[in-house]
Amino acid sequence: MTEISGLCPPRFAAVKDAFAANFTDAPEGLNEQAARFSAVIGGETVIDLIGGLADPRAGAAYDARTLTPVFSTGKAVMALLIASCVERGLLDYDQRVADLWPAYGAAGKQDVTVAQLMSHQDGLPGFTGGVEPEIWFDRQGVLDRLAAQAPMWPPGTASGYHPITIGYLAGELFRLADGRSLGTALKEDFRDRFGLDLWVGLPESEHDRVAVLKKPSAAPDLGVIDDIKRSAFLDRGSAPGGRGSRDWREAEIPSANLHGTALDLARIMGIVANDGVLDGQAILSPDVVDQATTERIRGQDKVLPFVISWAAGFTRNAGLNIFGPNPDAVGHCGWGGSCAFADADARVSAAYVMTRQSSHLLGDPRAQRLIDALYSAL
């Protein structure tokens, strides 16, 4: 039986039971996975459950210091950092991207706004014409190619999820506005200042803390495949490759390679849940929180097989019902089952990370079981 440790008051006993059930229901066996679930209410950590092995072969425990790659769940952190630029007057969601980044305005993208880019409306979910996977380790090469590329649909008319490209696009926006890379700002503004163990660009000195993942046994269901979905997910160059895990961990890809803990993902999402405040300090004004989380587009996504309500970098809960009962809750899910979200009405933020990945694109049943149990206790 998997040993479960951490914080879980009697009020949330159902959450602990759900967390344990995620291990006992695992078809692969109990020794091939680890997970952590954390929840914060009104700025106070109320749940922090940990279980499993970070490296089953070595018998290494998964503990409070273990880092887990969370893939697209990091997009929620990316959205918060873009919002911080808006808060400081460095960006405006309604401004045109090309006003800050002229090269981006090529090939029909001249009127795309910051909000449209952040809500996956600019038509650049992947590369057209084919690329080698090594391109993702050439940041400037990625940016030059995306800036010159024509959109795959008229910008502003639909969303089409950008699995990886959004990290380079938003990262360049952040760099042009702020002067730092997004990974550097995450370190200086949140890790150094608040002790949040979140990394975009993980130095070699931290690699021994990273949990070993077990890849999903099946591919995700994308629905009917077309050229847009193929470029986003299925082309040879759709994802980084050709370099080892060390290079991937150390690269700064805000959309795909955030390493962190469930507790600190829940804490940083508490900014949204608590009127822009983290640990008693104002990070965003309520107005900017509202701008960041308001719906920018809703409809059938051109990449994911769902009707999605997108905010400025966040997935909104409306219609998906994966982040509790509040349609205005926002968050993001990551490849294999991780997620982080915030519900301002309940002042709740929470995150789930795990090492045994599933094929679910959104709403992994293990996370759903935990979130449902959490709300049942509120």
Side-chain angles (χ1 to χ4, degrees), residues 23-73:
F23 288 90
T24 59
D25 292 351
E28 294 90 341
L30 304 184
N31 65 336
E32 296 183 343
Q33 62 171 320
R36 188 172 184 178
F37 179 70
S38 305
V40 176
I41 301 178
E44 178 186 356
T45 301
V46 295
I47 299 170
D48 186 25
L49 290 168
I50 300 171
L53 296 175
D55 184 349
R57 291 184 178 180
Y62 190 102
D63 59 27
R65 292 189 69 255
T66 302
L67 298 173
T68 306
V70 297
F71 304 101
S72 290
T73 295

Side-chain angles (χ1 to χ4, degrees), residues 361-378:
L361 292 166
L362 296 172
D364 185 288
R366 296 166 297 177
Q368 292 302 114
R369 176 184 276 168
L370 291 162
I371 293 168
D372 290 348
L374 170 64
Y375 275 92
S376 73
L378 295 182

Side-chain angles (χ1 to χ4, degrees), residues 21-282:
N22 283 342
F23 288 90
T24 59
D25 292 351
E28 294 90 341
L30 304 184
N31 65 336
E32 296 183 343
Q33 62 171 320
R36 188 172 184 178
F37 179 70
S38 305
V40 176
I41 301 178
E44 178 186 356
T45 301
V46 295
I47 299 170
D48 186 25
L49 290 168
I50 300 171
L53 296 175
D55 184 349
R57 291 184 178 180
Y62 190 102
D63 59 27
R65 292 189 69 255
T66 302
L67 298 173
T68 306
V70 297
F71 304 101
S72 290
T73 295
K75 290 182 174 74
V77 176
M78 179 180 74
L80 284 168
L81 282 158
I82 290 292
S84 77
C85 284
V86 176
E87 178 67 33
R88 291 174 286 149
L90 303 176
L91 283 177
D92 188 299
Y93 286 118
D94 294 327
Q95 79 180 90
R96 299 189 311 173
V97 174
D99 290 343
L100 188 63
W101 181 9
Y104 173 89
K109 304 188 299 299
Q110 64 277 0
D111 293 324
V112 172
T113 66
V114 171
Q116 287 174 327
L117 184 152
M118 292 301 297
S119 53
H120 303 262
Q121 296 186 61
D122 72 344
L124 301 176
F127 294 110
T128 54
V131 296
E132 293 300 312
E134 292 86 353
I135 192 175
W136 298 103
F137 297 97
D138 175 9
R139 175 185 163 276
Q140 193 58 51
V142 171
L143 293 173
D144 291 345
R145 180 141 184 164
L146 291 175
Q149 184 171 300
M152 297 184 193
W153 62 87
T157 63
S159 70
Y161 179 57
H162 296 26
I164 302 178
T165 56
I166 189 68
Y168 290 83
L169 297 168
E172 180 66 358
L173 266 184
F174 188 93
R175 187 192 69 81
L176 290 168
D178 178 274
R180 299 172 293 173
S181 74
L182 195 145
T184 298
L186 178 61
K187 174 187 183 300
E188 294 176 352
D189 297 349
F190 292 97
R191 198 161 66 249
D192 293 349
R193 185 177 172 191
F194 296 99
L196 300 185
D197 201 2
L198 303 173
W199 307 73
V200 172
L202 187 70
E204 185 177 9
S205 61
E206 308 297 324
H207 289 192
D208 62 351
R209 296 202 285 140
V210 179
V212 176
L213 301 187
K214 182 177 178 60
K215 292 183 178 180
S217 56
D221 180 8
L222 294 170
V224 177
I225 301 301
D226 58 17
D227 288 344
I228 293 174
K229 294 181 181 182
R230 191 172 291 108
S231 72
F233 275 111
L234 301 174
D235 281 346
R236 170 177 166 80
S238 293
R243 303 270 286 271
S245 60
R246 171 181 171 179
D247 291 321
W248 178 77
R249 287 173 181 168
E250 293 179 1
E252 288 195 19
I253 310 176
S255 52
N257 76 341
L258 186 140
H259 291 66
T261 70
L263 176 59
D264 291 324
L265 284 167
R267 288 178 63 202
I268 200 168
M269 288 301 291
I271 295 171
V272 174
N274 294 287
D275 297 321
V277 175
L278 173 63
D279 291 355
Q281 299 186 46

